[in-house]
Amino acid sequence: MTQKKPSLAARVQALQSPQRLPAIKGIRRGIERECLRITPEGHLAQTDHPRVLGSALTNANITTDFAEPLMEFITPVSDSVDILLSQLTDIHRYVMQHLDGEQLWPLSMPCFLKADEQIRLAQYGSSNVGRMKTLYRQGLHHRYGSQMQVIAGVHFNFSMPDSFWSEWHALEGNGGCLQDFVSEAYLGLIRNVYRYGWLIPYLFGASPALCGSFLEGKQHHLPFERLGEGTLYLPYATSLRLSDLGYTNNAQADLNISLNSLDAYVSSLQRAIGTHAPEFAKIGVKVDGEYRQLNDNVLQIENELYAPIRPKRTTESGEKPSEALASRGVEYIEVRSVDVNPFSAVGIDKSQIRFLDSFLLWCLLTPSGPLEEEEIALNRRNFTKVVLEGRRPGLELEVMGGEPLTLAALGERYFAELGDVAGLLDACCGQGCYGEAHRQQLAALRDPSKTLSARVLARLQQDSLDIQPFGLALAREYREQLEQAKPGYWGDVYFDEESVRSLARQRKLEMSDAISFDDYLTAYFGTQAG
């Protein structure tokens, strides 16, 4: 007989005891912030990734995502919010000093785009691993088009300290393996994010509008309204980035990636990588001697799985993410549903990080049963409602096994529990800042005009602005702000040296390849790729 899990209240009470409270201190976080390089006129940059910034393949902090102009800034893992933001700011500051007049687009949805062909795929050099990264992006281009791939977001990596896991395992682990307990708990957290994660786009969605060029040639059925000459918006939308216009893959809808156990997750993910997709087979894998994609499966590689949150484990050289999870368990989780905050020069602010800490710990401590097909479908419907019309007065969301409730009523219920978790964090390490972040977001729940999406739309409507001049004005403001900023954690010498080191690492990789690219892909996938 399965032992009943303690309630959230019981868990919070147990952790509040003086001997256990210090175990919570030391939450570890990392941030990956994406942003487009643009010209001073606000067009997508056509230049190469600046060589002065080092190798996009091997630089620890400054790289690229899908396209040459889509930059990605990566912080190390830190248990200090202040250090984390200082590091992120230093990366931005250093990059700004080396953009030669270019700027960084401060919104999730891209600037004016002429055509897919304008978007240059990211290049990583001639090594086999570098060529594979570019070919993966070539496959994404053929499968979904490049415009979808230059949408930017903020990824928030989160893990609890070892001290917490030791204490909680002693409380609830029943003598089992610690790492198995940790993995099971993180998967429970992830299942709860699927249940309650609509709160993130409601509060932190910042893409209610987009440049009309993004929709040219695309079919959609959304009732857009027009603002200015070329801006389209939905009056109550929170995050068009997370809608069907953004990061979606219809071919993945029937994959049924299970989150009910680590073994089930890994096996269903690996099965997806081997699932043939007839629509992608039409593209071809290797045509006239040139690769078009890595393979013709639903997922070329595991990174192609579009999910608002993922279980993660740091990989070793040549290791696939699912192999790392299977062999060593879940190490941390990656939240991918946070829009770029256009009111922050670095895309996220301290209050957001504090709230995410509270929200994710709440999801971890709240009992989390298995996710079955009916509830998965319900969660998807709720999430879609919130990203498209989350600020609509009286909007109702579905409740598993109950009558629908308004978003406001459900939010109040959740925020009452979130307040207890914020109090727990303040008691061990917050000095009141978690309570303040909680109150700030509760105010946005009660007054939708205080959400990021509403603030963006209000600025556009107030000044009768298109999204393009709005974004460009912010880009100029942040350029000046960052150029004048003083180093907070890293000085220029650190970045200069990392640039040199990264170029040396790339050259070493290119010189050490002992097999052909065809053989490299064969070895990686275990079957002939071409």
Side-chain angles (χ1 to χ4, degrees), residues 259-329:
L259 292 162
N260 292 334
S261 73
L262 183 58
D263 287 345
Y265 176 79
V266 169
S267 61
S268 57
L269 183 56
Q270 291 177 337
R271 184 171 61 250
I273 297 168
T275 299
H276 181 70
E279 65 268 43
F280 297 151
K282 295 175 184 176
I283 297 168
V285 176
K286 195 173 186 182
V287 179
D288 297 329
E290 296 291 330
Y291 281 104
R292 293 187 175 182
Q293 54 185 338
L294 290 171
N295 53 56
D296 57 11
N297 296 330
V298 174
L299 306 179
Q300 297 175 90
I301 56 175
E302 294 160 40
N303 288 351
E304 197 171 333
L305 178 66
Y306 299 124
I309 184 169
R310 292 176 178 169
K312 301 279 281 189
R313 161 66 67 172
T314 304
T315 57
E316 297 174 354
S317 178
E319 188 179 40
K320 299 182 182 69
S322 62
E323 293 171 344
L325 286 170
S327 63
R328 299 187 299 285

Side-chain angles (χ1 to χ4, degrees), residues 261-426:
S261 73
L262 183 58
D263 287 345
Y265 176 79
V266 169
S267 61
S268 57
L269 183 56
Q270 291 177 337
R271 184 171 61 250
I273 297 168
T275 299
H276 181 70
E279 65 268 43
F280 297 151
K282 295 175 184 176
I283 297 168
V285 176
K286 195 173 186 182
V287 179
D288 297 329
E290 296 291 330
Y291 281 104
R292 293 187 175 182
Q293 54 185 338
L294 290 171
N295 53 56
D296 57 11
N297 296 330
V298 174
L299 306 179
Q300 297 175 90
I301 56 175
E302 294 160 40
N303 288 351
E304 197 171 333
L305 178 66
Y306 299 124
I309 184 169
R310 292 176 178 169
K312 301 279 281 189
R313 161 66 67 172
T314 304
T315 57
E316 297 174 354
S317 178
E319 188 179 40
K320 299 182 182 69
S322 62
E323 293 171 344
L325 286 170
S327 63
R328 299 187 299 285
V330 182
E331 179 184 8
Y332 65 98
I333 59 100
E334 177 190 36
V335 178
R336 300 162 55 83
S337 54
V338 181
D339 279 6
V340 173
N341 180 350
F343 303 107
S344 164
V346 297
I348 190 169
D349 64 30
K350 191 176 296 188
S351 177
Q352 289 179 283
I353 293 171
R354 297 289 190 194
F355 180 80
L356 287 169
D357 282 350
S358 297
F359 175 77
L360 294 170
L361 182 56
W362 173 63
C363 286
L364 180 64
L365 297 179
T366 298
S368 179
L371 271 179
E372 305 302 347
E373 192 171 328
E374 182 183 0
E375 189 179 7
I376 291 170
L378 180 152
N379 294 334
R380 284 176 179 165
R381 291 193 295 271
N382 281 346
F383 196 82
T384 299
K385 276 187 178 181
V386 173
V387 300
L388 293 179
E389 51 179 350
R391 289 178 286 104
R392 181 183 295 279
L395 178 70
E396 289 189 336
L397 300 179
E398 299 176 62
V399 178
M400 194 68 186
E403 294 296 315
L405 288 174
T406 64
L407 181 152
L410 265 181
E412 288 283 352
R413 176 187 297 178
Y414 299 156
F415 262 82
E417 297 179 352
L418 280 162
D420 293 337
V421 175
L424 182 66
L425 287 169
D426 270 334

Side-chain angles (χ1 to χ4, degrees), residues 221-234:
H221 306 287
L222 297 175
F224 280 109
E225 298 184 22
R226 184 172 290 274
L227 186 66
E229 294 182 5
T231 297
L232 302 175
Y233 73 99
L234 295 178

Side-chain angles (χ1 to χ4, degrees), residues 4-25:
K4 185 178 180 181
K5 297 289 186 183
S7 67
L8 170 70
R11 286 170 165 169
V12 170
Q13 183 177 10
L15 290 169
Q16 280 176 332
S17 66
Q19 69 269 28
R20 295 194 181 106
L21 197 57
I24 304 170
K25 191 171 185 177

Side-chain angles (χ1 to χ4, degrees), residues 149-207:
Q149 304 297 326
V150 294
I151 298 170
V154 174
H155 297 172
F156 184 76
N157 298 319
F158 172 93
S159 63
M160 294 299 293
D162 292 343
S163 56
F164 169 83
W165 291 117
S166 297
E167 197 66 51
W168 201 22
H169 184 246
L171 277 170
E172 299 190 14
N174 299 319
C177 169
L178 176 59
Q179 182 55 61
D180 290 347
F181 175 81
V182 171
S183 294
E184 180 184 346
Y186 274 133
L187 285 167
L189 180 162
I190 290 171
R191 293 193 295 272
N192 278 341
V193 169
Y194 274 94
R195 293 178 172 110
Y196 316 125
W198 55 262
L199 275 170
I200 296 177
Y202 174 80
L203 296 169
F204 299 153
S207 51

Side-chain angles (χ1 to χ4, degrees), residues 462-496:
Q462 172 186 322
D463 300 327
S464 298
L465 278 178
D466 275 310
I467 200 81
Q468 193 74 2
F470 170 69
L472 190 54
L474 286 175
R476 290 168 178 158
E477 176 186 337
Y478 295 149
R479 179 184 179 88
E480 293 177 7
Q481 179 179 325
L482 289 164
E483 284 181 335
Q484 295 171 9
K486 291 181 169 58
Y489 186 86
W490 288 310
D492 290 352
V493 171
Y494 166 78
F495 293 108
D496 292 342

